[in-house]
Amino acid sequence: MKKLVLIDGHSILNRAFYGVPELSNSQGLHTNAIYGFLNIMFKILDEEAADYIAVAFDLSAPTFRHKEYAEYKGTRKSMPDELREQVPLIKDVLSSMNIPILTKEGYEADDIIGTIAKRYQSDEVFVSVISGDRDLLQLSDKHIKIRIPKTSKGVTTIHDYLPEDVMDEYGVTPKEFIDVKALMGDTSDNVPGVPSIGEKTATKIIQEYHSIENAIEHVDELKPPRASKALSEHIEDAKFSKMLVTIVTDAPIETDISDMEVGNLYTKESLEWINKLEFKSFLKRYENVETEASIELDTSVIDKQDAWESLYTKLKEAKEFGISVCLEETAVKSYHENSLYAISVTLENKSYIIKDMENISDILEEIIRLDARKYILSLKPLIKLVKDMKAAKNFYDISVAAYLINPLKDSYFVEDIARDYMESACSSKSEMIGKAKLDEVLRFNDEKAINYFATESYVALHSEENILAKLKDLELTELYENVEMPLIYSLAKMENTGVRVDEERLKKYADTLLEKIAKLEESITRKAGESFNINSPKQLGEILFEKLKLSGGKKTKTGYSTAADVLEKLAPEHEIIRDILEYRQLTKLNSTYATGLAGYIREDGRIHGTFNQTITATGRISSTDPNLQNIPVRTEMGSKIRDIFVPKEGYVFVDADYSQIELRVLASLSGDEKLIESYRSAADIHAATAAQVFHVPLDEVTPELRRNAKAVNFGVVYGISAFGLSEDLSISRKEALDYINNYFKIYGGVKKFLDKQVADAKEKGYVKTMFGRIRPIPEIKSSNFMTRSFGDRVAMNSPIQGSAADIMKISMLKVDEALEKSGFDARIVLQIHDELLVEVKEDEAAKVSELVEKAMKEAVSLKVPLEVDAHIGKTWLEAK
DNA sequence: ACTGTCACG
DNA sequence: ACGTACGTGACAGTT
């Protein structure tokens, strides 16, 4: 038996649009509906093994069924722009897959589907109709299955309806289903129906009389009397509704089923679309497709000294080349052991893979000293291998450049750079070598591995021109050359240095935690009356809100919320709550910090995390493996973990942090005289704000008023909203709004500045920091209120957070430089957004503390002074 | 792979 | 009417 799949195009696209979260490609094109559509289609095709397929679309012209009431169609809600722009695209994508698109002047997609389905269904052909619209259930038949996809929690499940399923769910046959719908009406579809007859009554009537016509004949006998009266008064409405609901099954559509035969979906053209739309998850379906635009590589392996020497001669004369390194990923040795395995170099159009050379480290040292401009996708891993980083000159990091151009992307891998800056497709690492480790497959000269590794240096070299030109266009060159590029060296040094942890103390800390956790667990089990997994929000919710009947209010998508702020409010209701909150805190400390950090300690007794330069939207650095930027400090028990971070013997820490850098940045950026004046004179900025906003003398500011003012200051930095502030302070929205208005009345310059950011973002699509860093804000043009409001707040926050990030980066460079020049035995070990932790020889601590403080204060010059607090200590906790 | 929670600035 | 404060990353549980 053959299978025919018919898809209701607009309906599925609509479902996909609302079911898939916002998604867009790097050009800012919205793609979520197309993504969802293809997901559903692929899923259906995979499981059905369809022989025939077609997709039906409405045309915009009035349809036959509705033509006399054309204006009534016009009252339908118009499509959001984000969806509208995707409609022509999905048609192009389908065409590229050789899937026929069916439309017919004067008919809706429903009618086309109805006609085709009834025309071809037979003992030989089984039809599946894919739609989100339940009206199509009327088409269900012995050989026609209606399939309705439902996406919730990101998972798509499909509900199938054969006639018996319609009967089960609605108690009527598919044919009778028309009459039920017609009687009850459908406001969203502008079907009037009969007033006061709903689903229940309609079903009862049709179950008894089987059709509207028959019910009208027996209208006097109808029960309840209310329905009888309603129908008799609205006979025309009922008939009209039925006409609207009834799908045409004999439309004059010329088709030939052979045109719908499923051919090769995975054509070159459709691959181009998938690449253009940036649907990476679909790419594996195209594995066997030859990509025409793919890069042609001319590679050779260098594994002999004389071959290297002849290449070296060429490199010495070269003006520029691309380079990449491959590390040994497998053996985790002591941290400083060299783990370089291979080097890829592209000179003009020829790529060389240098590998299996005893002296590969020396080769690298020679290469980095060459005069040529050297382009690399990611410099940090290379530079970390080099003995004298300062000797490495003339490097251009391509991914950092791409990040400055668009910091919103989630990766800057070779395929991303090739797509965005070379207009050619190239395969990703996983497409080329799967899950294998590059060094391992390179070892036996695997062709794909060689090719992949060569593309890394090839793309670095050949994307350079476009990418640097784009940087220049956006006025980012200075930031790139003077801040981001040099910063790579500072970050590399910091990673190589690592931070020491006292393993013994860590162990003791973990034991203390485990003891307390065990006691709490016992207490919670006793108070709950049963043992359960406290870490499971689901089980915990059931215990608290069902078994113990606590007043569970706030719900999440999946169940009760058991977040700390919710539990906090429940604390007076049951003594178990305190225990749970403490249990949560301690298990977090144990799993993420005590146990978690222990696993990162290397043979040198230090943790060498990674500091990422191309992750955040605002320009901040991020920290991973482990995250050293979220080590606890706010609670007493938590802050104890900082006592295990220690300097090496004979050294101490200097911890230096900016005081309220973001508010100072705001004062400077906005030029608000009052705020600037506050910073020049006042010691306590929150108190000063309180005095101004609440009209009280500075010495009469109560802690309460100060707390409120502090919240307002935070709110301003985050992109203020009355709602957010009211939540934070547990006050009414009206009061919050009063605070905000008061604030803006006093600090008019701030208001003006924030408004300007939003206006700029709306006009240009991005905002900029003090040093020209760009943050694109695609959300600001959204037609969705919530998304757009988010865009507004981001427009206000990004220049502030981003400028502070710029300042810290410049500051790191200056501190680094000053330390180096001074010859002190000291180095930066951590950066935590507005804080630097420096390890220094004990007898130089005081001088270094002063030097760091000075370098940070003078890093940049703002309209207000920058203040830095620096402390010396034997542990991180002590130094803070 | 996603969700909820919670650690930081 | 809409329903949130901005920026991150890790872990445990669930799908």
Side-chain angles (χ1 to χ4, degrees):
Chain A
M1 183 147 164
K2 300 271 188 183
K3 283 190 174 173
L4 165 62
V5 168
L6 295 173
I7 299 179
D8 183 347
H10 276 130
S11 164
I12 295 301
L13 203 59
N14 230 323
R15 286 256 153 163
F17 179 73
Y18 291 105
V20 178
E22 194 162 273
L23 195 67
S24 53
N25 74 356
S26 47
Q27 261 76 57
L29 190 69
H30 292 91
T31 56
N32 65 328
I34 302 175
Y35 181 81
F37 186 106
L38 293 179
N39 230 342
I40 290 169
M41 190 180 82
F42 283 141
K43 190 183 161 108
I44 300 267
L45 286 173
D46 286 348
E47 63 179 53
E48 297 236 357
D51 301 282
Y52 306 100
I53 184 169
V55 182
F57 282 96
D58 300 331
L59 289 175
S60 49
T63 61
F64 174 77
R65 268 194 277 154
H66 301 139
K67 71 176 171 198
E68 301 106 293
Y69 304 92
E71 70 267 30
Y72 123 95
K73 286 289 286 184
T75 64
R76 268 199 190 174
K77 255 205 253 165
S78 70
M79 218 183 260
D81 289 343
E82 289 90 335
L83 176 55
R84 189 187 309 280
E85 70 184 28
Q86 297 184 59
V87 176
L89 295 181
I90 187 69
K91 292 183 183 173
D92 287 342
V93 174
L94 291 171
S95 300
S96 76
M97 294 175 171
N98 301 315
I99 294 173
I101 290 165
L102 307 177
T103 56
K104 180 78 189 172
E105 192 94 356
Y107 291 87
E108 294 195 359
D110 297 0
D111 302 328
I112 299 169
I113 288 175
T115 302
I116 307 277
K118 297 282 178 194
R119 184 180 294 168
Y120 292 116
Q121 69 152 333
S122 68
D123 287 340
E124 277 79 48
V125 178
F126 187 87
V127 182
S128 288
V129 171
I130 321 299
S131 177
D133 185 352
R134 289 186 174 265
D135 282 1
L136 273 80
L137 293 182
Q138 62 184 273
L139 298 174
S140 178
D141 208 336
K142 188 174 160 206
H143 299 111
I144 303 177
K145 182 164 78 178
I146 313 300
R147 314 198 66 192
I148 300 186
K150 244 189 155 161
T151 305
S152 73
K153 300 176 223 160
V155 194
T156 305
T157 45
I158 300 175
H159 294 266
D160 290 337
Y161 293 89
L162 283 167
E164 55 267 33
D165 302 307
V166 178
M167 188 55 108
D168 280 351
E169 194 165 323
Y170 296 94
V172 292
T173 66
K175 194 163 173 294
E176 291 166 349
F177 183 77
I178 302 173
D179 300 74
V180 172
K181 287 282 306 206
L183 278 181
M184 63 191 260
D186 182 345
T187 42
S188 74
D189 234 355
N190 285 310
V191 175
V194 175
S196 88
I197 295 188
E199 185 177 350
K200 288 273 158 55
T201 318
T203 305
K204 244 178 73 193
I205 293 170
I206 298 303
Q207 277 170 342
E208 196 170 343
Y209 298 96
H210 305 291
S211 75
I212 286 184
E213 291 75 12
N214 193 33
I216 290 170
E217 269 184 38
H218 300 89
V219 68
D220 297 337
E221 307 158 20
L222 287 193
K223 270 177 223 154
R226 185 171 49 82
S228 167
K229 183 162 179 285
L231 181 58
S232 62
E233 284 168 7
H234 293 91
I235 287 176
E236 283 317 306
D237 280 338
K239 287 183 177 167
F240 172 56
S241 296
K242 183 166 180 178
M243 190 275 286
L244 288 180
V245 173
T246 307
I247 291 172
V248 177
T249 54
D250 57 356
I253 300 167
E254 281 173 42
T255 54
D256 188 333
I257 192 158
S258 65
D259 295 337
M260 302 180 205
E261 225 160 314
V262 176
N264 177 24
L265 303 175
Y266 308 112
T267 61
K268 252 193 313 208
E269 294 72 32
S270 75
L271 174 60
E272 275 165 32
W273 273 108
I274 298 300
N275 276 320
K276 189 170 169 194
L277 298 166
E278 297 167 24
F279 294 154
K280 293 187 190 170
S281 64
F282 293 143
L283 281 178
K284 56 180 177 294
R285 293 174 173 272
Y286 288 83
E287 260 162 12
N288 301 320
V289 181
E290 290 294 323
T291 51
E292 188 183 36
S294 74
I295 293 159
E296 293 212 2
L297 289 161
D298 176 3
T299 63
S300 52
V301 171
I302 307 274
D303 55 3
K304 300 265 175 353
Q305 189 59 27
D306 56 346
W308 157 241
E309 276 162 19
S310 101
L311 173 59
Y312 187 54
T313 313
K314 285 186 208 152
L315 291 179
K316 271 196 283 200
E317 280 155 29
K319 276 210 176 69
E320 55 176 23
F321 56 86
I323 181 169
S324 183
V325 288
C326 168
L327 310 188
E328 285 179 347
E329 289 180 68
T330 18
V332 178
K333 301 175 189 168
S334 74
Y335 190 73
H336 292 287
E337 199 162 321
N338 199 335
S339 65
L340 177 62
Y341 173 66
I343 305 170
S344 163
V345 171
T346 297
L347 189 57
E348 292 175 1
N349 283 316
K350 188 133 176 57
S351 301
Y352 305 88
I353 309 294
I354 307 160
K355 60 189 277 284
D356 301 324
M357 301 278 285
E358 286 254 324
N359 57 339
I360 189 134
S361 302
D362 302 328
I363 290 177
L364 182 67
E365 294 286 339
E366 289 181 295
I367 294 177
I368 58 137
R369 286 172 168 77
L370 291 168
D371 290 324
R373 290 163 72 99
K374 292 170 281 293
Y375 302 101
I376 184 163
L377 286 178
S378 181
L379 177 59
K380 187 147 55 70
L382 181 151
I383 211 77
K384 284 172 75 176
L385 301 169
V386 167
K387 290 189 196 92
D388 178 12
M389 289 187 194
K390 278 199 303 280
K393 48 187 181 181
N394 247 337
F395 272 99
Y396 295 82
D397 187 307
I398 296 296
S399 56
V400 168
Y403 166 72
L404 287 182
I405 291 165
N406 182 1
L408 298 187
K409 303 199 62 100
D410 50 15
S411 64
Y412 301 90
F413 298 132
V414 53
E415 66 274 19
D416 304 302
I417 303 293
R419 183 209 329 111
D420 294 346
Y421 300 98
M422 292 165 63
E423 283 142 35
S424 54
C426 104
S427 308
S428 68
K429 188 172 184 176
S430 67
E431 279 162 4
M432 289 298 275
I433 65 169
K435 284 184 180 140
K437 302 201 162 134
L438 183 58
D439 63 316
E440 282 173 25
V441 275
L442 225 38
R443 236 167 254 282
F444 46 88
N445 288 340
D446 175 86
E447 195 189 324
K448 284 190 169 172
I450 298 270
N451 272 331
Y452 170 74
F453 192 34
T455 53
E456 288 195 344
S457 60
Y458 183 98
V459 167
L461 176 63
H462 290 100
S463 61
E464 162 264 324
E465 209 176 323
N466 279 343
I467 212 161
L468 296 187
K470 184 89 194 188
L471 269 187
K472 203 165 177 196
D473 278 355
L474 296 169
E475 297 176 316
L476 289 164
T477 306
E478 205 189 317
L479 185 67
Y480 177 67
E481 289 181 351
N482 300 335
V483 180
E484 299 291 345
M485 278 307 307
L487 187 70
I488 299 173
Y489 294 73
S490 293
L491 297 177
K493 272 205 289 189
M494 205 160 79
E495 291 180 9
N496 274 349
T497 304
V499 57
R500 186 174 170 226
V501 297
D502 186 330
E503 227 174 333
E504 241 171 77
R505 232 186 272 175
L506 181 57
K507 186 103 191 36
K508 275 193 210 142
Y509 181 69
D511 288 342
T512 320
L513 285 175
L514 288 174
E515 231 173 84
K516 293 191 181 197
I517 289 168
K519 279 189 193 145
L520 283 167
E521 217 175 295
E522 197 270 329
S523 164
I524 291 167
T525 307
R526 187 162 35 79
K527 286 170 184 167
E530 68 181 286
S531 138
F532 65 103
N533 188 345
I534 310 163
N535 284 322
S536 160
K538 196 171 154 226
Q539 293 182 37
L540 180 61
E542 279 161 18
I543 294 282
L544 293 182
F545 301 113
E546 282 166 30
K547 182 160 183 196
L548 299 179
K549 305 235 183 309
L550 298 182
S551 42
K554 204 162 127 190
K555 286 209 175 176
T556 62
K557 282 171 217 161
T558 46
Y560 304 103
S561 169
T562 64
D565 60 325
V566 176
L567 295 189
E568 206 66 60
K569 289 179 188 131
L570 295 174
E573 282 189 47
H574 203 292
E575 53 178 4
I576 197 173
I577 299 292
R578 284 274 143 236
D579 288 347
I580 290 169
L581 285 167
E582 199 182 344
Y583 174 89
R584 277 254 180 90
Q585 200 203 343
L586 299 185
T587 49
K588 174 90 179 182
L589 289 173
N590 180 55
S591 63
T592 305
Y593 300 102
T595 319
L597 288 178
Y600 286 100
I601 303 173
R602 302 279 186 90
E603 270 184 4
D604 60 356
R606 302 173 78 97
I607 293 177
H608 300 265
T610 305
F611 290 89
N612 311 292
Q613 207 176 345
T614 59
I615 299 284
T616 69
T618 53
R620 277 186 177 179
I621 297 293
S622 92
S623 164
T624 49
D625 306 306
N627 183 352
L628 293 169
Q629 291 179 320
N630 74 343
I631 305 299
V633 69
R634 291 174 188 171
T635 66
E636 209 213 312
M637 192 60 204
S639 69
K640 289 209 165 87
I641 192 86
R642 294 197 172 204
D643 250 337
I644 66 125
F645 286 82
V646 293
K648 69 177 168 188
E649 312 300 338
Y651 288 69
V652 292
F653 280 145
V654 168
D655 183 287
D657 72 305
Y658 282 114
S659 128
Q660 295 141 357
I661 189 168
E662 293 190 337
L663 276 180
R664 285 170 202 268
V665 162
L666 175 61
S668 192
L669 278 173
S670 66
D672 184 285
E673 283 306 328
K674 270 243 167 62
L675 193 55
I676 291 173
E677 184 48 36
S678 293
Y679 267 115
R680 289 200 179 131
S681 55
D684 181 340
I685 189 67
H686 299 310
T689 306
Q692 297 271 12
V693 172
F694 302 118
H695 309 293
V696 292
L698 192 58
D699 52 12
E700 283 173 32
V701 171
T702 60
E704 160 91 7
L705 286 180
R706 185 182 181 279
R707 201 169 55 80
N708 291 351
K710 188 174 171 179
V712 173
N713 279 334
F714 265 89
V716 170
V717 169
Y718 289 158
I720 199 143
S721 79
F723 201 94
L725 183 65
S726 69
E727 283 285 293
D728 191 58
L729 285 177
S730 318
I731 55 176
S732 75
R733 250 161 86 180
K734 167 99 180 47
E735 283 173 285
L737 195 62
D738 285 345
Y739 286 9
I740 293 169
N741 287 339
N742 253 340
Y743 180 95
F744 283 143
K745 215 185 279 165
I746 306 283
Y747 303 107
V750 172
K751 166 100 174 110
K752 218 171 133 193
F753 168 77
L754 295 176
D755 287 347
K756 172 127 175 34
Q757 300 314 305
V758 174
D760 277 3
K762 288 211 157 84
E763 188 196 321
K764 302 185 189 122
Y766 60 84
V767 289
K768 281 193 162 212
T769 67
M770 238 176 236
F771 295 88
R773 181 189 305 281
I774 286 174
R775 159 85 194 250
I777 309 178
E779 294 89 349
I780 206 138
K781 287 178 181 152
S782 168
S783 62
N784 178 292
F785 172 84
M786 208 183 80
T787 311
R788 198 173 53 249
S789 305
F790 173 74
D792 291 351
R793 294 193 296 274
V794 166
M796 296 186 257
N797 171 265
S798 295
I800 303 173
Q801 191 185 122
S803 299
D806 295 345
I807 292 169
M808 185 40 130
K809 283 177 166 175
I810 294 167
S811 186
M812 283 180 78
L813 294 174
K814 300 228 161 152
V815 168
D816 229 4
E817 200 180 6
L819 287 177
E820 211 147 282
K821 229 171 105 188
S822 68
F824 287 129
D825 186 358
R827 60 210 65 77
I828 304 173
V829 295
L830 294 179
Q831 187 257 42
I832 312 99
H833 310 306
D834 63 352
E835 170 186 0
L836 291 179
L837 189 67
V838 176
E839 186 180 55
V840 53
K841 194 79 176 282
E842 204 162 358
D843 54 9
E844 297 172 355
K847 283 177 188 161
V848 165
S849 174
E850 255 178 56
L851 177 150
V852 171
E853 199 179 315
K854 186 165 183 292
M856 286 175 71
K857 271 187 191 165
E858 293 171 3
V860 302
S861 153
L862 304 185
K863 290 179 182 163
V864 293
L866 280 176
E867 249 179 59
V868 174
D869 293 320
H871 306 279
I872 299 168
K874 290 295 290 175
T875 71
W876 191 6
L877 182 64
E878 239 184 82
K880 177 88 190 171

